[in-house]
Each structure stands twice: as C-alpha cells, then as structure tokens.
Amino acid sequence: MLLQFSCENHKSIKNKVVFSTTASNDVNKDELMQFDNNYVIRSAAIYGANGSGKSNFISALEFVRALVVESIKHQPGQGVFQALHKLSERMAPSIYNIQFVKNRIKYVYEFSIKENLVSSEYLYYYPNGRKTIIFERNGLNIYPGDKYKSVFELSLGVLKDNRLFLSCAANYTNLKEIEDAFLFFNNDMVIYNPNTNINPGSWIEKSIKLLQENKVVKEFFVDILKTLQTGITDIKVKFETKMMNASELPQEMPDALKALFTAQETNQMEAKVVYDGFETDLMSEESTGIKKLFEIVCPIIDVLNNDKVFICDEIETNLHETVVKQIIQLFKYMKKDNFAQLLFTTHNTNLLSMDLFRRDQVWFTQLDAGRSTQLYPLTEIRNVRRAENLERGYISGKYGAIPMLNKDIFEFWH
C-alpha cells in the first residue's frame, strides 16, 4: 500500500506538496485498512482547475516509478530528465519521497535530481517497527547500513550518476529488502495515464493476456460488463507470441524488411465481444467506451486481487459516470484483508458525495501566488459537516481549487 508521497520542483510543483493516505479521525472506519497503529484510506480523488497541477502530481509518481525501473539502462553521458518549475533556479534540486508497505513492512525511499543527475538517495525500512538503514547516497558515494556492508560490491560497479542505486542494486544483488522495494515500483504501482501512454493498445493487449491466463479475472470482468448493462454476455480472447511468417506479410514488402519482421517474435491477439445473437471484433468494431473498459477494468481487477495501487489521471475519460462509481465502490467495499488502493484525478463533480468518500479521501490542487501547485485534503477546510453537499460546496468555491470568475464570461463576446 501507498502511505505517503511528496515532491518538489517538478513541473508546476515548485514548493513541497505532500499526499498522505493516513486516515483522519472521521467516521466509517470499517472502510479503512489498518497498518501498525494507523488507519489507511483505500481510495482518494484529486480535484482542481485545469492547469492547477493535478496531472503534474500524477506525472511525478510516473517519473519516480519509471526512473526506479529503467535507470539501470541509462548510458554514459545520458542525463536524467528534470522537469524543473519554470520559476526555479537552474541549480535547484527536484526531490521525491515515497513511503509504502511491501509484505507488511514499511519502506521510505527518497532521491533528488540536480542538474540532470542523481545527487542523493536513500532507502530505509522498518522491520518490527524500527528504522533500519539499507543504504544512503551522496553523489556517487554509497553508505550501506550496518547489516549491508558487504552486499553491494557488484551494484557499485554499475552505479553511474544518471542511475538510481536502487535500480542498480535490484539487478546486481539478491537482497530481499532491495528486491521487495524494487518490486513495489515495478509490479505494485499500476499507473494509467491516457495523456502520456504512447500506445494505449498495449493496455488492451495486457488485458487480453490477463483474461486468457486467469479465469477468475475473466468471470469477474464479464459480471461487471453485465452489471453495467452493456448487453455483453461473454468475451472470447486469444493471445499468443510467435514468429511472424513471411507469407503473412504484404507481397510488395521488400525482402530485407520481411527478413527483419520474421526474425523476431510478435504478439498476436484476438478479442471477440459476445452479445445475444451476434459477436463483434473488439479492435475494429467496438466503441471507444467498450475499449476503455477493456483497458482499465481488467488491470483494476488484477490490482484488487493482488493488493496493488492503481493510479489514474482523469479516470472519467471515455467512461460513463456509472462505471466510475462502480470502480470506486469496488475499492470501497473490499474485504478487510485486501490492501489494494485507488488514486485518481477527475473533473466529475457528480462523484463528490459523502456516500462515496470520507472527507480525508478528497484532495484539491490550486496554484498559489507564485504559480506553484498547492495540494491539500478536504479535512483542512474548516466547517465541512459530515452531511454536507460536497459537490455544491466545491462548485461554489468553498474549498478553493476552481477558477473564480469575477465577470460573466459572455461579456467578452459583446
């Protein structure tokens, strides 16, 4: 589970912002997870005006995940991308800190990027609730914790100033603490961002593969489709990896290009959507909305089954409001021993309801006077009653985070 994430000097986020899943002293504790002596929320929604930094907060999480997973591949002379705030000094560091739980143990991980290189980094964990240093880093100098003085030799050999040490150590040690921390980023943080995913079809590919491999996921998915009254009664999927045959390629294709295609494995998939009396091809005949269900709902089922964290920017894109509510309720009414979480941004004010959320599950972004994103929970707003109409309060500007127009916009057309 995700416990906390903070960052500073990332795109519109100049000053440090902190997001926390630690629950407040609110009602409905039955909907919470418990870790150590704290209660943790299962889902959170972030609201705010266009340009206020909602998507930039999600992109900071994406950046952290990608750098942990991929920086081992960085080549000499290749800098680390640093998305500085436009008003920051060039030498100002970008700092990212994340606290999470893996296998019932808390971890704290932080790194900073300065002038497009990794300047500092550390990883701590808390077995039996006590802080233990796994490693600390300053530039290219690594300081292992007392228990780990002799386990990082190979990792040090591949460390560069454009690579995170966690990424190096995960590939060049067999240390379980390092592996678990790395796997949280690689496997447990599932980030769906339609604005940055270069190939959205890859999500459908993942879903089709999952549906073929896991009958429980398929049955659950079909039940959801029926509940949403899509008219879909079943789905037929086929996913296989095989070598491309030259006969399957266009005859007019040059032989050199054919040789290139036939020399590597390709993923081939097929998905048929079954209705009463007929079926359709998912990719060529179905609507954008149905395709979006395949993209997002199947990964969410996997998240629920395997205690992962699903992070989504603008969850309502191409999804009906009823579908989004159903997704939120899947996390809201999980079993107590299920530790999956949902974090998303949205503009849909119809979701702002005490029936769906506790007050500590609603967050807002807005720009301050220095054009830096502020992030804060509804619990920081005074005089918000438990029975309050949250949608009305938000639209009226009571909680901030929306553009406040002093003039009728239509005046500009007269």
Side-chain angles (χ1 to χ4, degrees), residues 41 185 397:
I41 58 175
F185 295 100

Side-chain angles (χ1 to χ4, degrees), residues 371-413:
R371 299 203 62 78
S372 176
T373 294
Q374 296 177 314
L375 175 71
Y376 55 94
L378 181 61
T379 50
E380 290 188 6
I381 308 298
R382 291 186 175 183
N383 302 319
V384 179
R385 303 180 309 278
R386 288 193 175 98
E388 185 164 318
N389 186 317
L390 297 183
E391 181 180 16
R392 186 182 304 158
Y394 176 58
I395 293 174
S396 70
K398 180 178 179 180
Y399 317 135
I402 63 170
M404 301 300 292
L405 300 178
N406 295 321
K407 294 184 177 181
D408 189 331
I409 192 171
F410 296 106
E411 289 181 16
F412 293 101
W413 301 101

Side-chain angles (χ1 to χ4, degrees), residues 143-403:
Y143 307 98
D146 292 338
K147 289 176 57 179
Y148 309 104
K149 293 293 186 182
S150 60
V151 298
F152 291 132
E153 286 88 351
L154 290 175
S155 308
L156 291 169
V158 297
L159 179 64
K160 298 184 183 299
D161 53 12
N162 59 2
R163 296 176 176 175
L164 291 175
F165 188 64
L166 176 56
S167 186
C168 297
N171 284 273
Y172 287 89
T173 70
N174 292 319
L175 191 63
K176 187 178 188 310
E177 296 91 309
I178 289 284
E179 182 176 301
D180 282 350
F182 179 84
L183 289 176
F184 174 81
F185 295 100
N186 191 59
N187 294 350
D188 298 342
M189 282 180 68
V190 181
I191 302 178
Y192 180 87
N193 189 343
N195 298 314
T196 60
N197 291 331
I198 298 174
N199 180 17
S202 64
W203 280 83
I204 292 182
E205 183 177 291
K206 292 175 186 175
S207 294
I208 290 174
K209 186 177 181 181
L210 183 63
L211 289 168
Q212 178 171 283
E213 294 174 347
N214 194 316
K215 291 182 179 180
V216 173
V217 170
K218 180 183 175 182
E219 291 174 1
F220 193 3
F221 183 48
V222 172
D223 285 344
I224 290 175
L225 294 176
K226 290 177 180 178
T227 301
L228 296 174
Q229 298 181 343
T230 59
I232 297 171
T233 60
D234 198 6
I235 46 179
K236 300 176 183 177
V237 296
K238 183 179 181 181
F239 183 94
E240 59 181 345
T241 301
K242 66 177 186 178
M243 302 298 292
M244 179 73 73
N245 193 303
S247 62
E248 298 174 310
L249 299 172
Q251 292 184 1
E252 63 274 14
M253 181 180 288
D255 289 341
L257 198 54
K258 285 184 179 180
L260 180 63
F261 275 98
T262 56
Q264 56 188 357
E265 289 185 334
T266 60
N267 294 332
Q268 298 189 8
M269 62 180 184
E270 182 179 285
K272 299 295 182 182
V273 183
V274 181
Y275 296 86
D276 285 332
F278 69 96
E279 60 184 45
T280 63
D281 180 77
L282 174 65
M283 298 307 296
S284 63
E285 298 179 292
E286 275 297 349
S287 67
T288 302
I290 294 297
K291 290 178 184 177
K292 179 67 178 285
L293 286 175
F294 273 79
E295 284 181 24
I296 197 171
V297 175
C298 287
I300 284 176
I301 295 172
D302 180 56
V303 165
L304 289 165
N305 287 340
N306 294 289
D307 295 343
K308 299 181 181 182
V309 183
F310 191 78
I311 301 167
C312 182
D313 192 22
E314 297 185 1
I315 194 172
E316 72 272 22
T317 303
N318 296 323
L319 284 179
H320 192 276
E321 176 189 317
T322 303
V323 177
V324 179
K325 285 185 177 180
Q326 291 275 357
I327 291 172
I328 296 169
Q329 288 172 342
L330 285 174
F331 287 84
K332 181 181 176 71
Y333 298 116
M334 288 186 297
K335 297 178 181 178
K336 285 188 175 296
D337 59 351
N338 189 310
F339 300 106
Q341 289 173 299
L342 170 67
L343 168 62
F344 64 93
T345 69
T346 181
H347 289 286
N348 190 343
T349 59
N350 292 329
L351 301 175
L352 269 175
S353 166
M354 292 291 192
D355 293 333
L356 281 180
F357 298 114
R358 294 160 43 98
R359 289 174 293 184
D360 50 16
Q361 292 177 282
V362 180
W363 289 70
F364 302 103
T365 57
Q366 68 176 12
L367 295 177
D368 63 19
R371 299 203 62 78
S372 176
T373 294
Q374 296 177 314
L375 175 71
Y376 55 94
L378 181 61
T379 50
E380 290 188 6
I381 308 298
R382 291 186 175 183
N383 302 319
V384 179
R385 303 180 309 278
R386 288 193 175 98
E388 185 164 318
N389 186 317
L390 297 183
E391 181 180 16
R392 186 182 304 158
Y394 176 58
I395 293 174
S396 70
K398 180 178 179 180
Y399 317 135
I402 63 170

